[in-house]
Amino acid sequence: MTARYRVTPLKLLLCSLLATAGCATTNSETNQEKDFHSASIIQIDPGINQLQFVGSHNSYKQAMSPENSQALQARNPKAWAGLDYEHLPLAQQLDLGMRKLELDVFYQPATTDFAVGHVQVIDMRSHCTTLQACLSQLARWSNKNPTHAPIWVSFNAKDQAIPGLPTPPPFTAEVLEQLDKALEAGLGDRLIRPGDITDLAWPKLSQARGKFLLILDEQGTKRDAYLTNWRARPMFTNSPVGHPAAAVMIVNDPVADGAKIRSLVQQGYMVRTRADADTLEARNNDTHRRDAAFASGAQAVSTDYYLPSTRFASPYQVRLPNTNQPIRCNPINAPENCQTKILD
């Protein structure tokens, strides 16, 4: 039996709008109809887990002071080389399209705020020296750009002992609660929360515009302490597959773990990975890790080089492939006919 193409009222309206002559009842759709379907709301409103974007690593970081840089270079050239990078202020990064940021915080018992920096004493120059200042910058930028795609912000709770340097105060369960209060005060009314996500059912992009998603990038005792009452807390955790809180994963090596990342993405998890580390790829203009990161389908690909280095000569740069947009359709799980140009 020959199939018939039924002209629905929607198609008649489309024909009228396009002034298309002779909208016939044929078996094949017209090019205009195909374009219409490609732009339908179902296809252009993916879940936030069906996106991919670039972010920055240690986003607050300024270059070390000349004095500290020279002293570290003389004492430990390898460590110095790994720290010899810098970033633009947070708002400028967001203007460039970064949709994943990272803040390292230190507990300060004498204040109600947290210091923001990389390594105690030697690498603490920051575009926002306190957590409150950083969150205020993010909120101001969001107010000026209220329809932005959701912005991820991950946090390292810094209390590592480093020989020769002062040991920071520890992040106890009580300190993590103070951190929560600071995050709630700064961004609480614009958060995608762990308690909002059930069975990895992520909101659509249209539902998540103007929002932030926060992640505690810790494991071990700090993560375990934070998992107490996790549904009521502002940050997601890097919890293992199968844990009720598991939703956002940190998998830093897309070369060794590319298959793992793809599997996680296909299962509905969201993943952050890194295109480069310790300045190595940039110094050698080695794009292998960067390309593996994009191919893995990790939603967030972090880098120190969304622009080429200002510290040494290298063309190395990390940008989304085949688009000048901040967000692209995820190469692993995006819906059919997803259109990158309308995502952000």
Side-chain angles (χ1 to χ4, degrees), residues 227-264:
L227 285 172
T228 301
N229 198 27
W230 62 268
R231 288 183 176 85
R233 309 194 81 154
M235 289 190 285
F236 289 81
T237 55
N238 184 26
S239 295
V241 171
H243 191 285
V248 180
M249 305 290 189
I250 308 294
V251 186
N252 284 325
D253 189 343
V255 176
D257 293 319
K260 175 182 178 180
I261 295 173
R262 284 189 290 276
S263 176
L264 290 170

PDB file of all heavy atoms in Angstrom, residues 227-264:
ATOM      1  N   LEU A 227      29.043  14.321  52.585  1.00  0.00           N
ATOM      2  CA  LEU A 227      27.901  13.510  52.155  1.00  0.00           C
ATOM      3  C   LEU A 227      26.813  13.404  53.218  1.00  0.00           C
ATOM      4  O   LEU A 227      25.694  12.984  52.914  1.00  0.00           O
ATOM      5  CB  LEU A 227      28.375  12.108  51.750  1.00  0.00           C
ATOM      6  CG  LEU A 227      29.080  12.034  50.397  1.00  0.00           C
ATOM      7  CD1 LEU A 227      29.691  10.659  50.172  1.00  0.00           C
ATOM      8  CD2 LEU A 227      28.120  12.383  49.261  1.00  0.00           C
ATOM      9  N   THR A 228      27.115  13.790  54.452  1.00  0.00           N
ATOM     10  CA  THR A 228      26.086  13.829  55.482  1.00  0.00           C
ATOM     11  C   THR A 228      25.004  14.826  55.069  1.00  0.00           C
ATOM     12  O   THR A 228      25.288  15.998  54.828  1.00  0.00           O
ATOM     13  CB  THR A 228      26.692  14.259  56.837  1.00  0.00           C
ATOM     14  OG1 THR A 228      27.719  13.339  57.194  1.00  0.00           O
ATOM     15  CG2 THR A 228      25.623  14.293  57.914  1.00  0.00           C
ATOM     16  N   ASN A 229      23.792  14.348  54.922  1.00  0.00           N
ATOM     17  CA  ASN A 229      22.672  15.197  54.512  1.00  0.00           C
ATOM     18  C   ASN A 229      22.938  15.870  53.160  1.00  0.00           C
ATOM     19  O   ASN A 229      22.601  17.040  52.949  1.00  0.00           O
ATOM     20  CB  ASN A 229      22.381  16.256  55.587  1.00  0.00           C
ATOM     21  CG  ASN A 229      21.006  16.876  55.436  1.00  0.00           C
ATOM     22  OD1 ASN A 229      20.088  16.248  54.903  1.00  0.00           O
ATOM     23  ND2 ASN A 229      20.852  18.104  55.889  1.00  0.00           N
ATOM     24  N   TRP A 230      23.525  15.130  52.226  1.00  0.00           N
ATOM     25  CA  TRP A 230      23.964  15.723  50.957  1.00  0.00           C
ATOM     26  C   TRP A 230      22.821  16.310  50.133  1.00  0.00           C
ATOM     27  O   TRP A 230      23.022  17.262  49.367  1.00  0.00           O
ATOM     28  CB  TRP A 230      24.726  14.684  50.129  1.00  0.00           C
ATOM     29  CG  TRP A 230      23.927  13.480  49.724  1.00  0.00           C
ATOM     30  CD1 TRP A 230      23.819  12.297  50.399  1.00  0.00           C
ATOM     31  CD2 TRP A 230      23.114  13.329  48.547  1.00  0.00           C
ATOM     32  NE1 TRP A 230      22.999  11.423  49.728  1.00  0.00           N
ATOM     33  CE2 TRP A 230      22.555  12.029  48.590  1.00  0.00           C
ATOM     34  CE3 TRP A 230      22.816  14.163  47.479  1.00  0.00           C
ATOM     35  CZ2 TRP A 230      21.709  11.546  47.606  1.00  0.00           C
ATOM     36  CZ3 TRP A 230      21.969  13.695  46.482  1.00  0.00           C
ATOM     37  CH2 TRP A 230      21.423  12.410  46.543  1.00  0.00           C
ATOM     38  N   ARG A 231      21.630  15.773  50.266  1.00  0.00           N
ATOM     39  CA  ARG A 231      20.512  16.283  49.463  1.00  0.00           C
ATOM     40  C   ARG A 231      20.162  17.735  49.796  1.00  0.00           C
ATOM     41  O   ARG A 231      19.583  18.441  48.965  1.00  0.00           O
ATOM     42  CB  ARG A 231      19.275  15.400  49.653  1.00  0.00           C
ATOM     43  CG  ARG A 231      19.367  14.040  48.985  1.00  0.00           C
ATOM     44  CD  ARG A 231      18.084  13.241  49.158  1.00  0.00           C
ATOM     45  NE  ARG A 231      18.132  11.970  48.439  1.00  0.00           N
ATOM     46  CZ  ARG A 231      18.669  10.868  48.922  1.00  0.00           C
ATOM     47  NH1 ARG A 231      19.200  10.880  50.139  1.00  0.00           N
ATOM     48  NH2 ARG A 231      18.680   9.758  48.209  1.00  0.00           N
ATOM     49  N   ALA A 232      20.490  18.161  50.991  1.00  0.00           N
ATOM     50  CA  ALA A 232      20.150  19.517  51.417  1.00  0.00           C
ATOM     51  C   ALA A 232      21.307  20.498  51.242  1.00  0.00           C
ATOM     52  O   ALA A 232      21.178  21.674  51.606  1.00  0.00           O
ATOM     53  CB  ALA A 232      19.709  19.504  52.881  1.00  0.00           C
ATOM     54  N   ARG A 233      22.434  20.048  50.653  1.00  0.00           N
ATOM     55  CA  ARG A 233      23.619  20.887  50.569  1.00  0.00           C
ATOM     56  C   ARG A 233      23.747  21.496  49.175  1.00  0.00           C
ATOM     57  O   ARG A 233      23.147  21.003  48.204  1.00  0.00           O
ATOM     58  CB  ARG A 233      24.854  20.072  50.943  1.00  0.00           C
ATOM     59  CG  ARG A 233      24.672  19.343  52.271  1.00  0.00           C
ATOM     60  CD  ARG A 233      25.956  18.806  52.844  1.00  0.00           C
ATOM     61  NE  ARG A 233      26.706  19.842  53.541  1.00  0.00           N
ATOM     62  CZ  ARG A 233      27.570  19.601  54.529  1.00  0.00           C
ATOM     63  NH1 ARG A 233      27.802  18.347  54.928  1.00  0.00           N
ATOM     64  NH2 ARG A 233      28.221  20.583  55.117  1.00  0.00           N
ATOM     65  N   PRO A 234      24.528  22.582  49.044  1.00  0.00           N
ATOM     66  CA  PRO A 234      24.605  23.277  47.756  1.00  0.00           C
ATOM     67  C   PRO A 234      25.553  22.662  46.732  1.00  0.00           C
ATOM     68  O   PRO A 234      25.419  22.929  45.534  1.00  0.00           O
ATOM     69  CB  PRO A 234      25.082  24.675  48.138  1.00  0.00           C
ATOM     70  CG  PRO A 234      25.843  24.485  49.411  1.00  0.00           C
ATOM     71  CD  PRO A 234      25.143  23.375  50.131  1.00  0.00           C
ATOM     72  N   MET A 235      26.515  21.835  47.184  1.00  0.00           N
ATOM     73  CA  MET A 235      27.510  21.304  46.253  1.00  0.00           C
ATOM     74  C   MET A 235      27.268  19.830  45.935  1.00  0.00           C
ATOM     75  O   MET A 235      26.936  19.037  46.819  1.00  0.00           O
ATOM     76  CB  MET A 235      28.924  21.455  46.831  1.00  0.00           C
ATOM     77  CG  MET A 235      29.430  22.874  46.866  1.00  0.00           C
ATOM     78  SD  MET A 235      31.204  22.979  47.297  1.00  0.00           S
ATOM     79  CE  MET A 235      31.144  22.642  49.062  1.00  0.00           C
ATOM     80  N   PHE A 236      27.486  19.488  44.668  1.00  0.00           N
ATOM     81  CA  PHE A 236      27.576  18.087  44.280  1.00  0.00           C
ATOM     82  C   PHE A 236      28.926  17.547  44.754  1.00  0.00           C
ATOM     83  O   PHE A 236      29.854  18.310  45.022  1.00  0.00           O
ATOM     84  CB  PHE A 236      27.460  17.938  42.762  1.00  0.00           C
ATOM     85  CG  PHE A 236      26.090  18.212  42.219  1.00  0.00           C
ATOM     86  CD1 PHE A 236      25.650  19.522  42.005  1.00  0.00           C
ATOM     87  CD2 PHE A 236      25.223  17.170  41.909  1.00  0.00           C
ATOM     88  CE1 PHE A 236      24.386  19.778  41.504  1.00  0.00           C
ATOM     89  CE2 PHE A 236      23.960  17.412  41.410  1.00  0.00           C
ATOM     90  CZ  PHE A 236      23.534  18.722  41.209  1.00  0.00           C
ATOM     91  N   THR A 237      29.037  16.238  44.835  1.00  0.00           N
ATOM     92  CA  THR A 237      30.290  15.613  45.247  1.00  0.00           C
ATOM     93  C   THR A 237      30.775  14.649  44.171  1.00  0.00           C
ATOM     94  O   THR A 237      29.978  14.131  43.382  1.00  0.00           O
ATOM     95  CB  THR A 237      30.120  14.834  46.559  1.00  0.00           C
ATOM     96  OG1 THR A 237      29.050  13.899  46.401  1.00  0.00           O
ATOM     97  CG2 THR A 237      29.815  15.761  47.719  1.00  0.00           C
ATOM     98  N   ASN A 238      32.078  14.403  44.170  1.00  0.00           N
ATOM     99  CA  ASN A 238      32.672  13.449  43.245  1.00  0.00           C
ATOM    100  C   ASN A 238      32.546  12.046  43.849  1.00  0.00           C
ATOM    101  O   ASN A 238      33.518  11.440  44.287  1.00  0.00           O
ATOM    102  CB  ASN A 238      34.137  13.814  42.998  1.00  0.00           C
ATOM    103  CG  ASN A 238      34.801  12.920  41.974  1.00  0.00           C
ATOM    104  OD1 ASN A 238      34.150  12.356  41.104  1.00  0.00           O
ATOM    105  ND2 ASN A 238      36.111  12.774  42.079  1.00  0.00           N
ATOM    106  N   SER A 239      31.301  11.544  43.863  1.00  0.00           N
ATOM    107  CA  SER A 239      31.002  10.254  44.501  1.00  0.00           C
ATOM    108  C   SER A 239      31.039   9.134  43.474  1.00  0.00           C
ATOM    109  O   SER A 239      30.779   9.359  42.287  1.00  0.00           O
ATOM    110  CB  SER A 239      29.627  10.308  45.170  1.00  0.00           C
ATOM    111  OG  SER A 239      29.621  11.240  46.224  1.00  0.00           O
ATOM    112  N   PRO A 240      31.333   7.915  43.906  1.00  0.00           N
ATOM    113  CA  PRO A 240      31.471   6.805  42.954  1.00  0.00           C
ATOM    114  C   PRO A 240      30.139   6.375  42.366  1.00  0.00           C
ATOM    115  O   PRO A 240      29.070   6.579  42.962  1.00  0.00           O
ATOM    116  CB  PRO A 240      32.086   5.685  43.816  1.00  0.00           C
ATOM    117  CG  PRO A 240      31.677   6.014  45.208  1.00  0.00           C
ATOM    118  CD  PRO A 240      31.646   7.508  45.289  1.00  0.00           C
ATOM    119  N   VAL A 241      30.210   5.775  41.189  1.00  0.00           N
ATOM    120  CA  VAL A 241      29.019   5.237  40.537  1.00  0.00           C
ATOM    121  C   VAL A 241      28.302   4.288  41.494  1.00  0.00           C
ATOM    122  O   VAL A 241      28.929   3.469  42.158  1.00  0.00           O
ATOM    123  CB  VAL A 241      29.401   4.488  39.242  1.00  0.00           C
ATOM    124  CG1 VAL A 241      28.197   3.746  38.666  1.00  0.00           C
ATOM    125  CG2 VAL A 241      29.967   5.460  38.217  1.00  0.00           C
ATOM    126  N   GLY A 242      27.005   4.439  41.574  1.00  0.00           N
ATOM    127  CA  GLY A 242      26.213   3.592  42.449  1.00  0.00           C
ATOM    128  C   GLY A 242      25.834   4.257  43.752  1.00  0.00           C
ATOM    129  O   GLY A 242      24.865   3.861  44.390  1.00  0.00           O
ATOM    130  N   HIS A 243      26.604   5.273  44.170  1.00  0.00           N
ATOM    131  CA  HIS A 243      26.231   6.003  45.378  1.00  0.00           C
ATOM    132  C   HIS A 243      25.027   6.887  45.059  1.00  0.00           C
ATOM    133  O   HIS A 243      24.946   7.471  43.972  1.00  0.00           O
ATOM    134  CB  HIS A 243      27.397   6.853  45.856  1.00  0.00           C
ATOM    135  CG  HIS A 243      27.197   7.440  47.220  1.00  0.00           C
ATOM    136  ND1 HIS A 243      26.362   8.505  47.468  1.00  0.00           N
ATOM    137  CD2 HIS A 243      27.730   7.094  48.428  1.00  0.00           C
ATOM    138  CE1 HIS A 243      26.380   8.800  48.750  1.00  0.00           C
ATOM    139  NE2 HIS A 243      27.206   7.960  49.357  1.00  0.00           N
ATOM    140  N   PRO A 244      24.085   7.030  45.981  1.00  0.00           N
ATOM    141  CA  PRO A 244      22.909   7.868  45.697  1.00  0.00           C
ATOM    142  C   PRO A 244      23.245   9.302  45.314  1.00  0.00           C
ATOM    143  O   PRO A 244      22.485   9.939  44.585  1.00  0.00           O
ATOM    144  CB  PRO A 244      22.123   7.813  47.020  1.00  0.00           C
ATOM    145  CG  PRO A 244      22.554   6.562  47.679  1.00  0.00           C
ATOM    146  CD  PRO A 244      23.984   6.355  47.294  1.00  0.00           C
ATOM    147  N   ALA A 245      24.394   9.812  45.788  1.00  0.00           N
ATOM    148  CA  ALA A 245      24.781  11.192  45.490  1.00  0.00           C
ATOM    149  C   ALA A 245      25.547  11.328  44.178  1.00  0.00           C
ATOM    150  O   ALA A 245      25.848  12.454  43.750  1.00  0.00           O
ATOM    151  CB  ALA A 245      25.632  11.751  46.626  1.00  0.00           C
ATOM    152  N   ALA A 246      25.890  10.220  43.542  1.00  0.00           N
ATOM    153  CA  ALA A 246      26.712  10.276  42.327  1.00  0.00           C
ATOM    154  C   ALA A 246      25.948  10.944  41.193  1.00  0.00           C
ATOM    155  O   ALA A 246      24.862  10.502  40.822  1.00  0.00           O
ATOM    156  CB  ALA A 246      27.148   8.874  41.932  1.00  0.00           C
ATOM    157  N   ALA A 247      26.512  12.002  40.635  1.00  0.00           N
ATOM    158  CA  ALA A 247      25.878  12.721  39.525  1.00  0.00           C
ATOM    159  C   ALA A 247      26.908  13.442  38.669  1.00  0.00           C
ATOM    160  O   ALA A 247      26.851  13.410  37.444  1.00  0.00           O
ATOM    161  CB  ALA A 247      24.849  13.726  40.062  1.00  0.00           C
ATOM    162  N   VAL A 248      27.882  14.103  39.319  1.00  0.00           N
ATOM    163  CA  VAL A 248      28.946  14.819  38.623  1.00  0.00           C
ATOM    164  C   VAL A 248      30.273  14.155  38.975  1.00  0.00           C
ATOM    165  O   VAL A 248      30.588  13.969  40.154  1.00  0.00           O
ATOM    166  CB  VAL A 248      28.976  16.305  39.024  1.00  0.00           C
ATOM    167  CG1 VAL A 248      30.097  17.029  38.282  1.00  0.00           C
ATOM    168  CG2 VAL A 248      27.637  16.969  38.739  1.00  0.00           C
ATOM    169  N   MET A 249      31.038  13.800  37.962  1.00  0.00           N
ATOM    170  CA  MET A 249      32.295  13.073  38.149  1.00  0.00           C
ATOM    171  C   MET A 249      33.491  13.925  37.727  1.00  0.00           C
ATOM    172  O   MET A 249      33.408  14.665  36.742  1.00  0.00           O
ATOM    173  CB  MET A 249      32.294  11.784  37.319  1.00  0.00           C
ATOM    174  CG  MET A 249      31.110  10.857  37.592  1.00  0.00           C
ATOM    175  SD  MET A 249      31.255  10.119  39.217  1.00  0.00           S
ATOM    176  CE  MET A 249      29.949   8.902  39.168  1.00  0.00           C
ATOM    177  N   ILE A 250      34.577  13.789  38.451  1.00  0.00           N
ATOM    178  CA  ILE A 250      35.848  14.405  38.078  1.00  0.00           C
ATOM    179  C   ILE A 250      36.759  13.291  37.576  1.00  0.00           C
ATOM    180  O   ILE A 250      37.174  12.428  38.353  1.00  0.00           O
ATOM    181  CB  ILE A 250      36.503  15.126  39.268  1.00  0.00           C
ATOM    182  CG1 ILE A 250      35.529  16.102  39.921  1.00  0.00           C
ATOM    183  CG2 ILE A 250      37.786  15.814  38.826  1.00  0.00           C
ATOM    184  CD1 ILE A 250      35.126  17.271  39.055  1.00  0.00           C
ATOM    185  N   VAL A 251      37.056  13.289  36.273  1.00  0.00           N
ATOM    186  CA  VAL A 251      37.942  12.285  35.674  1.00  0.00           C
ATOM    187  C   VAL A 251      38.972  13.074  34.862  1.00  0.00           C
ATOM    188  O   VAL A 251      38.705  13.504  33.738  1.00  0.00           O
ATOM    189  CB  VAL A 251      37.169  11.298  34.774  1.00  0.00           C
ATOM    190  CG1 VAL A 251      38.114  10.196  34.288  1.00  0.00           C
ATOM    191  CG2 VAL A 251      35.978  10.692  35.521  1.00  0.00           C
ATOM    192  N   ASN A 252      40.147  13.266  35.418  1.00  0.00           N
ATOM    193  CA  ASN A 252      41.075  14.266  34.898  1.00  0.00           C
ATOM    194  C   ASN A 252      41.850  13.859  33.650  1.00  0.00           C
ATOM    195  O   ASN A 252      42.315  14.727  32.916  1.00  0.00           O
ATOM    196  CB  ASN A 252      42.068  14.666  35.993  1.00  0.00           C
ATOM    197  CG  ASN A 252      41.437  15.587  37.023  1.00  0.00           C
ATOM    198  OD1 ASN A 252      40.600  16.413  36.684  1.00  0.00           O
ATOM    199  ND2 ASN A 252      41.831  15.432  38.273  1.00  0.00           N
ATOM    200  N   ASP A 253      42.001  12.563  33.397  1.00  0.00           N
ATOM    201  CA  ASP A 253      42.858  12.127  32.291  1.00  0.00           C
ATOM    202  C   ASP A 253      42.024  11.521  31.165  1.00  0.00           C
ATOM    203  O   ASP A 253      41.650  10.343  31.215  1.00  0.00           O
ATOM    204  CB  ASP A 253      43.874  11.097  32.789  1.00  0.00           C
ATOM    205  CG  ASP A 253      44.932  10.766  31.743  1.00  0.00           C
ATOM    206  OD1 ASP A 253      44.712  11.065  30.553  1.00  0.00           O
ATOM    207  OD2 ASP A 253      45.972  10.198  32.123  1.00  0.00           O
ATOM    208  N   PRO A 254      41.727  12.277  30.115  1.00  0.00           N
ATOM    209  CA  PRO A 254      40.900  11.757  29.028  1.00  0.00           C
ATOM    210  C   PRO A 254      41.633  10.799  28.104  1.00  0.00           C
ATOM    211  O   PRO A 254      40.998  10.119  27.289  1.00  0.00           O
ATOM    212  CB  PRO A 254      40.481  13.018  28.267  1.00  0.00           C
ATOM    213  CG  PRO A 254      41.629  13.960  28.478  1.00  0.00           C
ATOM    214  CD  PRO A 254      42.123  13.680  29.878  1.00  0.00           C
ATOM    215  N   VAL A 255      42.947  10.735  28.208  1.00  0.00           N
ATOM    216  CA  VAL A 255      43.706   9.793  27.388  1.00  0.00           C
ATOM    217  C   VAL A 255      43.609   8.396  27.997  1.00  0.00           C
ATOM    218  O   VAL A 255      43.208   7.432  27.343  1.00  0.00           O
ATOM    219  CB  VAL A 255      45.182  10.240  27.260  1.00  0.00           C
ATOM    220  CG1 VAL A 255      45.978   9.203  26.478  1.00  0.00           C
ATOM    221  CG2 VAL A 255      45.264  11.605  26.568  1.00  0.00           C
ATOM    222  N   ALA A 256      43.957   8.272  29.264  1.00  0.00           N
ATOM    223  CA  ALA A 256      43.887   6.972  29.935  1.00  0.00           C
ATOM    224  C   ALA A 256      42.454   6.535  30.197  1.00  0.00           C
ATOM    225  O   ALA A 256      42.157   5.338  30.191  1.00  0.00           O
ATOM    226  CB  ALA A 256      44.657   7.029  31.248  1.00  0.00           C
ATOM    227  N   ASP A 257      41.548   7.507  30.413  1.00  0.00           N
ATOM    228  CA  ASP A 257      40.196   7.176  30.852  1.00  0.00           C
ATOM    229  C   ASP A 257      39.121   7.620  29.866  1.00  0.00           C
ATOM    230  O   ASP A 257      37.975   7.844  30.255  1.00  0.00           O
ATOM    231  CB  ASP A 257      39.930   7.822  32.217  1.00  0.00           C
ATOM    232  CG  ASP A 257      40.787   7.224  33.314  1.00  0.00           C
ATOM    233  OD1 ASP A 257      40.963   5.991  33.320  1.00  0.00           O
ATOM    234  OD2 ASP A 257      41.291   7.992  34.160  1.00  0.00           O
ATOM    235  N   GLY A 258      39.474   7.720  28.602  1.00  0.00           N
ATOM    236  CA  GLY A 258      38.492   8.158  27.612  1.00  0.00           C
ATOM    237  C   GLY A 258      37.277   7.254  27.536  1.00  0.00           C
ATOM    238  O   GLY A 258      36.131   7.715  27.485  1.00  0.00           O
ATOM    239  N   ALA A 259      37.495   5.937  27.541  1.00  0.00           N
ATOM    240  CA  ALA A 259      36.379   4.994  27.473  1.00  0.00           C
ATOM    241  C   ALA A 259      35.506   5.103  28.717  1.00  0.00           C
ATOM    242  O   ALA A 259      34.270   5.023  28.639  1.00  0.00           O
ATOM    243  CB  ALA A 259      36.900   3.572  27.304  1.00  0.00           C
ATOM    244  N   LYS A 260      36.126   5.291  29.863  1.00  0.00           N
ATOM    245  CA  LYS A 260      35.371   5.452  31.111  1.00  0.00           C
ATOM    246  C   LYS A 260      34.500   6.701  31.052  1.00  0.00           C
ATOM    247  O   LYS A 260      33.317   6.674  31.445  1.00  0.00           O
ATOM    248  CB  LYS A 260      36.335   5.537  32.287  1.00  0.00           C
ATOM    249  CG  LYS A 260      35.664   5.818  33.622  1.00  0.00           C
ATOM    250  CD  LYS A 260      36.701   5.940  34.736  1.00  0.00           C
ATOM    251  CE  LYS A 260      36.047   6.278  36.074  1.00  0.00           C
ATOM    252  NZ  LYS A 260      37.072   6.400  37.155  1.00  0.00           N
ATOM    253  N   ILE A 261      35.061   7.798  30.571  1.00  0.00           N
ATOM    254  CA  ILE A 261      34.288   9.032  30.476  1.00  0.00           C
ATOM    255  C   ILE A 261      33.102   8.859  29.540  1.00  0.00           C
ATOM    256  O   ILE A 261      31.969   9.251  29.860  1.00  0.00           O
ATOM    257  CB  ILE A 261      35.187  10.196  30.012  1.00  0.00           C
ATOM    258  CG1 ILE A 261      36.261  10.494  31.069  1.00  0.00           C
ATOM    259  CG2 ILE A 261      34.344  11.444  29.741  1.00  0.00           C
ATOM    260  CD1 ILE A 261      37.301  11.502  30.626  1.00  0.00           C
ATOM    261  N   ARG A 262      33.345   8.269  28.376  1.00  0.00           N
ATOM    262  CA  ARG A 262      32.241   8.057  27.423  1.00  0.00           C
ATOM    263  C   ARG A 262      31.131   7.221  28.044  1.00  0.00           C
ATOM    264  O   ARG A 262      29.936   7.517  27.864  1.00  0.00           O
ATOM    265  CB  ARG A 262      32.774   7.401  26.149  1.00  0.00           C
ATOM    266  CG  ARG A 262      33.528   8.346  25.235  1.00  0.00           C
ATOM    267  CD  ARG A 262      33.841   7.706  23.895  1.00  0.00           C
ATOM    268  NE  ARG A 262      34.849   6.661  24.006  1.00  0.00           N
ATOM    269  CZ  ARG A 262      36.160   6.875  23.998  1.00  0.00           C
ATOM    270  NH1 ARG A 262      36.619   8.127  23.895  1.00  0.00           N
ATOM    271  NH2 ARG A 262      37.021   5.888  24.100  1.00  0.00           N
ATOM    272  N   SER A 263      31.512   6.184  28.777  1.00  0.00           N
ATOM    273  CA  SER A 263      30.509   5.340  29.425  1.00  0.00           C
ATOM    274  C   SER A 263      29.708   6.133  30.457  1.00  0.00           C
ATOM    275  O   SER A 263      28.471   6.010  30.528  1.00  0.00           O
ATOM    276  CB  SER A 263      31.190   4.140  30.083  1.00  0.00           C
ATOM    277  OG  SER A 263      30.254   3.356  30.802  1.00  0.00           O
ATOM    278  N   LEU A 264      30.379   6.947  31.248  1.00  0.00           N
ATOM    279  CA  LEU A 264      29.688   7.752  32.244  1.00  0.00           C
ATOM    280  C   LEU A 264      28.708   8.722  31.591  1.00  0.00           C
ATOM    281  O   LEU A 264      27.564   8.883  32.043  1.00  0.00           O
ATOM    282  CB  LEU A 264      30.693   8.519  33.094  1.00  0.00           C
ATOM    283  CG  LEU A 264      31.544   7.687  34.058  1.00  0.00           C
ATOM    284  CD1 LEU A 264      32.672   8.540  34.650  1.00  0.00           C
ATOM    285  CD2 LEU A 264      30.693   7.095  35.175  1.00  0.00           C
TER     286      LEU A 264
END
